[in-house]
C-alpha cells in the first residue's frame, strides 16, 4: 500500500494503493460525509446495487442518513442488521447475511457497504471477500477504533470457538468514508479507548504527532470536528505507511503496530474482556515504556511522557488505576490457583475466553462458554453490558497503585496469569516473547531478548501500578 498525492478534487481525500494486488483504497475524511455518501458511492461504483451491513445500535443512529444518501444517488440499499458486538463476527452470521443476499439474487456486481465499528467492518470484509469469490467493499466506520485502525489495511476476520480472528482474509475496501460526526453518539469511554490506538501511532512516529496529542486533549475529548478530522487523517497516514511496507504481514514491519499490544492483549484476556481493547492497549503502552527503560533502551523521561499523555486522555496506566465497580467489586482471585482460564490461540495473538467479549458483550459472542463456569465466574469479574458499564471501570482513578484500589480489578487478576497470556501470544517465538519497545518517540524496535524478570515486572506493573 502506498500513499498517493491527495485527490485534486479535494485536499481532504487520501488515496492508498495496495501494491501487491494493485487494489486502490480511496479514503475520504469529512464531517458531514454521511449525508453526502451518495455522490461518493456513485463516483466509485456507479449505480451498482449495495448491501449495507450494520449493527442494531448503529442502525438506530446513523443508517437513516446513509440510506437516504444512497437513494438520492439512485441506489436502493439492501440492509442487513446484525446484533452488536463480537457475537456477529462468526461464520454463522456471515452465512446468514449471504443467505439473504442469495435470496435477493445479488450477483458479482454487488457492493458490500459496512456501516459500524470494527466488528461490522470485519464482517463486511469477510462477506465481500467470499461472496462469489470476492466483490467490492466500502466501509463507513463509526467508532474511533474503526476510523483509525480497522477500516484500512485490508484485514478482515471472523472468530472461531477456538479463538478470535482465526479465520481471515486480506480484502481491502475500495472506498472508505469517514464522518467524525458519527463519533458524537459514541460513549465517551469508547472514544477514550480509541485514543489509546492514536497515542500508539503517535509513539511510532517522530512527526510531532505526540506533541500534537499533548497540546490537543481538550479539543480531542470534546470531539471538535476539525480536530477529529485531523486526528483521523494523521492516524490513517501512519498506519498506511507501515502497511505499505508489509501489506501481507510478512516482513515484520507490520509487527510495529503491535506496540503496547503484547501485554495489552494479555491484560484484556486476563480480565475476561471486561475492559475495552483500547483501555488495555493504554496499560500495555505504559508497560512497554517501562520495559524499554528497564532494558536501557530509553530513559525514564520517555516513561513519564507516555504516562502523562495517557493520563491526559483519561486512560489508566494499570488495572489499579481503574475506579472500582459501583456494584460488588471482585475480591476473589481468578480461580483456586489464582489463574483465569487460558484462552485458545488467536490470529492476533490472543483469544477470547468463554462468554466474555470485546466491548463487554458478555455471553453474546460466538466464542465458547467454558464448560461449567463462565469467564466472569473464573475471574471473579462482574458481567458487563455495553452501555451500562460506563461508570463501573471506565474512569481511571487519580494516580494508581494504592492498596485500597487493589481490592478491585487489580486484585482479581494475578501478574502470573498476564504472563501466561503473553506466552500464548502468536508473536511469542518458540517460548521467547517478542515485544515492540521504544528507543525513543518514533524509534520502535522489536526485541525477543527481554529478560524474563523484566517481563514479570512489567506484568506486575500492568496489574498493580508502580
Ligand atoms: N481488521 C482490522 O484491521 C482491525 C483493526 C482493529 C480492530 N479490529 C476489530 O474491531 C473490533 C473492535 O471494534 P470496535 O472497538 O469498533 O467495536 P464494535 O464494532 O463492537 O463497536 C463497539 C460498540 O459501539 C457501538 N457503536 C458503533 N458505532 C457507534 C456510534 N457511532 N455511536 C454509538 N455506538 C456505536 C457498536 O454497536 C458496538 O456496540 C474487534 O473485533 C477487532 O478485532 C479489526
Ligand atoms: Zn489494537
Amino acid at each position: 500500500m502506498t500513499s498517493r498525492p491527495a485527490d485534486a478534487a479535494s485536499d481532504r481525500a487520501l488515496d492508498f494503493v495496495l501494491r501487491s494486488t494493485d487494489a486502490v483504497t480511496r479514503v475520504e475524511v469529512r464531517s458531514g460525509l454521511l449525508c453526502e455518501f451518495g455522490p461518493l458511492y456513485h463516483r466509485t461504483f456507479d449505480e451498482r446495487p449495495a448491501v449495507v451491513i450494520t449493527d442494531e445500535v448503529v442502525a438506530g443512529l446513523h443508517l437513516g442518513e446513509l440510506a437516504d444518501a444512497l437513494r438520492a444517488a439512485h441506489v436502493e440499499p439492501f440492509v442487513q442488521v446484525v446484533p452488536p458486538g463480537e457475537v456477529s463476527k462468526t461464520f454463522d452470521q456471515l452465512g446468514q447475511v449471504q443467505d439473504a443476499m442469495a435470496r435477493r439474487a445479488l450477483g458479482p456486481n454487488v457492493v458490500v457497504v459496512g456501516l459500524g465499528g470494527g466488528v461490522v467492518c470485519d464482517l463486511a470484509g469477510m462477506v465481500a471477500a467470499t461472496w462469489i469469490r470476492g466483490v467490492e467493499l466500502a466501509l463507513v466506520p463509526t467508532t474511533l477504533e474503526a476510523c483509525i485502525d480497522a477500516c484500512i489495511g485490508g484485514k478482515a476476520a471472523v472468530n472461531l470457538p477456538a479463538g478470535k480472528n482465526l479465520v481471515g482474509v486480506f480484502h481491502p475496501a475500495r472506498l472508505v468514508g469517514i464522518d467524525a460526526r458519527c463519533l458524537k453518539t459514541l460513549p465517551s469511554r469508547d472514544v477514550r479507548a480509541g485514543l489509546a490506538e492514536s497515542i500508539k501511532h503517535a509513539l511510532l512516529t517522530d512527526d510531532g504527532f505526540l506533541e500534537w496529542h499533548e497540546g490537543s486533549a481538550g479539543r480531542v475529548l470534546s470531539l471538535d470536528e476539525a480536530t477529529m478530522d485531523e486526528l483521523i487523517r494523521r492516524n490513517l497516514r501512519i498506519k498506511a505507511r507501515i502497511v505499505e511496507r508489509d501489506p501481507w504481514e510478512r516482513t515484520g514491519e507490520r509487527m510495529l503496530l503491535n506496540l503496547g499490544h503484547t501485554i495489552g492483549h494479555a491484560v484484556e484476556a486476563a480480565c475476561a474482556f471486561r475492559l475495552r481493547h483500547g483501555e488495555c492497549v493504554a496499560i500495555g503502552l505504559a508497560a512497554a515504556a517501562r520495559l524499554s527503560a528497564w532494558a536501557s533502551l530509553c530513559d525514564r523521561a520517555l516513561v513519564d511522557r507516555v504516562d502523562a499523555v495517557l493520563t491526559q486522555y483519561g486512560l489508566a496506566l494499570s488495572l489499579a488505576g481503574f475506579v472500582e465497580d459501583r456494584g460488588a467489586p471482585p475480591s476473589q482471585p481468578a480461580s483456586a490457583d489464582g489463574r483465569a482460564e487460558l484462552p485458545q490461540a488467536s490470529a492476533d495473538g490472543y483469544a477470547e475466553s468463554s462468554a466474555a467479549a470485546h466491548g463487554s458483550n458478555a455471553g453474546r459472542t460466538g466464542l465458547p462458554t467454558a464448560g461449567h463456569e463462565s469467564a466472569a465466574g473464573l475471574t471473579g469479574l462482574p458481567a458487563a453490558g455495553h452501555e451500562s458499564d460506563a461508570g463501573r471501570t471506565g474512569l481511571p482513578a487519580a494516580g494508581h497503585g494504592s492498596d485500597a484500589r487493589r481490592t478491585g480489578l487489580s486484585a482479581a487478576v494475578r501478574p502470573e496469569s498476564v504472563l501466561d497470556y503473553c506466552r500464548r501470544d502468536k508473536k511469542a517465538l518458540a517460548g521467547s516473547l517478542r515485544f515492540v519497545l521504544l528507543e525513543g518517540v518514533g524509534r520502535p524496535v522489536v526485541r525477543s531478548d527481554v529478560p524474563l524478570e523484566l517481563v514479570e515486572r512489567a506484568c506486575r506493573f500492568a496489574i498493580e501500578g508502580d
Side-chain angles (χ1 to χ4, degrees):
M1 190 178 274
T2 189
S3 299
R4 281 182 169 177
D7 189 283
S10 164
D11 62 1
R12 292 174 296 220
L14 303 167
D15 280 351
F16 307 117
V17 178
L18 191 66
R19 270 197 208 120
S20 6
T21 61
D22 214 24
V24 177
T25 300
R26 180 192 175 83
V27 183
E28 290 219 13
V29 183
R30 187 166 67 247
S31 286
L33 173 141
L34 205 54
C35 54
E36 299 162 16
F37 190 72
L40 201 60
Y41 181 96
H42 201 276
R43 214 160 48 231
T44 316
F45 304 115
D46 202 20
E47 289 177 16
R48 289 164 63 181
V51 55
V52 175
I53 302 175
T54 189
D55 73 28
E56 286 155 8
V57 175
V58 180
L61 296 167
H62 303 294
L63 176 62
E65 252 183 328
L66 184 90
D68 286 349
L70 285 171
R71 282 186 202 109
H74 311 290
V75 177
E76 181 58 38
F78 177 54
V79 177
Q80 290 292 293
V81 181
V82 303
E86 289 288 331
V87 67
S88 286
K89 273 181 55 169
T90 59
F91 269 117
D92 184 43
Q93 192 60 69
L94 178 70
Q96 285 185 40
V97 170
Q98 292 181 329
D99 278 345
M101 291 168 71
R103 284 195 298 274
R104 184 88 169 195
L106 292 170
N109 68 335
V110 70
V111 179
V112 177
V113 181
L115 169 72
V119 162
V120 165
C121 290
D122 272 5
L123 178 66
M126 286 295 286
V127 169
T130 54
W131 181 248
I132 319 184
R133 296 194 181 82
V135 296
E136 297 281 18
L137 173 68
L139 294 175
V140 184
T142 61
T143 62
L144 191 54
E145 173 84 29
C147 288
I148 68 177
D149 197 350
C151 70
I152 67 158
K155 291 208 287 186
V158 291
N159 304 323
L160 285 184
K164 193 164 144 57
N165 292 336
L166 278 183
V167 181
V169 293
F170 286 95
H171 190 77
R174 170 145 318 220
L175 174 66
V176 175
I178 302 179
D179 184 346
R181 281 187 200 161
C182 292
L183 301 177
K184 292 193 193 281
T185 56
L186 202 59
S188 63
R189 181 176 175 186
D190 292 272
V191 173
R192 289 197 305 272
L195 288 166
E197 302 280 7
S198 186
I199 293 167
K200 176 198 81 175
H201 283 149
L203 287 167
L204 291 174
T205 54
D206 58 359
D207 61 356
F209 199 29
L210 191 63
E211 288 84 343
W212 185 92
H213 280 85
E214 289 163 338
S216 310
R219 276 172 290 132
V220 170
L221 290 170
S222 64
L223 298 179
D224 171 74
E225 284 177 14
T227 307
M228 293 313 285
D229 281 359
E230 183 177 357
L231 177 137
I232 291 165
R233 277 194 210 106
R234 289 184 78 157
N235 271 286
L236 292 177
R237 285 201 185 96
I238 292 165
K239 178 160 181 188
R241 234 176 7 239
I242 292 172
V243 168
E244 82 179 342
R245 294 197 287 258
D246 187 14
W248 305 107
E249 232 170 18
R250 286 186 188 142
T251 71
E253 196 83 27
R254 229 172 145 147
M255 165 88 188
L256 298 178
L257 293 167
N258 213 41
L259 176 65
H261 279 62
T262 308
I263 288 179
H265 279 153
V267 168
E268 197 175 6
C271 289
F273 295 86
R274 266 24 187 201
L275 300 184
R276 303 288 192 264
H277 171 69
E279 290 167 341
C280 298
V281 169
I283 291 173
L285 290 172
R290 278 159 180 76
L291 215 40
S292 306
W294 296 336
S296 303
L297 295 173
C298 69
D299 54 30
R300 176 75 204 187
L302 183 64
V303 178
D304 294 341
R305 203 169 164 198
V306 170
D307 287 1
V309 73
L310 291 171
T311 305
Q312 241 186 317
Y313 283 90
L315 291 158
L317 310 179
S318 69
L319 286 182
F322 280 91
V323 173
E324 284 181 13
D325 190 356
R326 278 198 240 125
S331 54
Q332 298 300 313
S335 65
D337 66 353
R339 293 176 177 202
E341 182 175 276
L342 289 176
Q344 306 299 306
S346 158
D348 290 332
Y350 70 108
E352 301 219 15
S353 63
S354 66
H358 174 93
S360 300
N361 292 304
R364 299 201 293 128
T365 93
L367 298 160
T369 303
H372 58 290
E373 211 174 0
S374 75
L378 285 167
T379 59
L381 293 171
H386 175 65
E387 298 299 339
S388 64
D389 58 356
R392 201 179 53 241
T393 56
L395 296 173
H400 47 267
S402 83
D403 285 344
R405 276 187 296 274
R406 280 190 201 126
T407 60
L409 270 174
S410 62
V413 177
R414 293 267 179 97
E416 306 83 58
S417 67
V418 174
L419 186 61
D420 279 336
Y421 283 110
C422 283
R423 285 206 175 99
R424 296 175 72 99
D425 193 297
K426 78 163 184 203
K427 277 102 190 172
L429 282 175
S432 78
L433 283 161
R434 273 200 291 178
F435 286 93
V436 183
L437 299 179
L438 292 168
E439 290 180 342
V441 176
R443 289 163 54 210
V445 285
V446 179
R447 299 291 289 255
S448 48
D449 57 351
V450 182
L452 186 61
E453 61 268 26
L454 294 188
V455 179
E456 286 168 347
R457 201 174 147 195
C459 291
R460 205 172 315 117
F461 162 78
I463 307 304
E464 298 170 359
D466 283 320

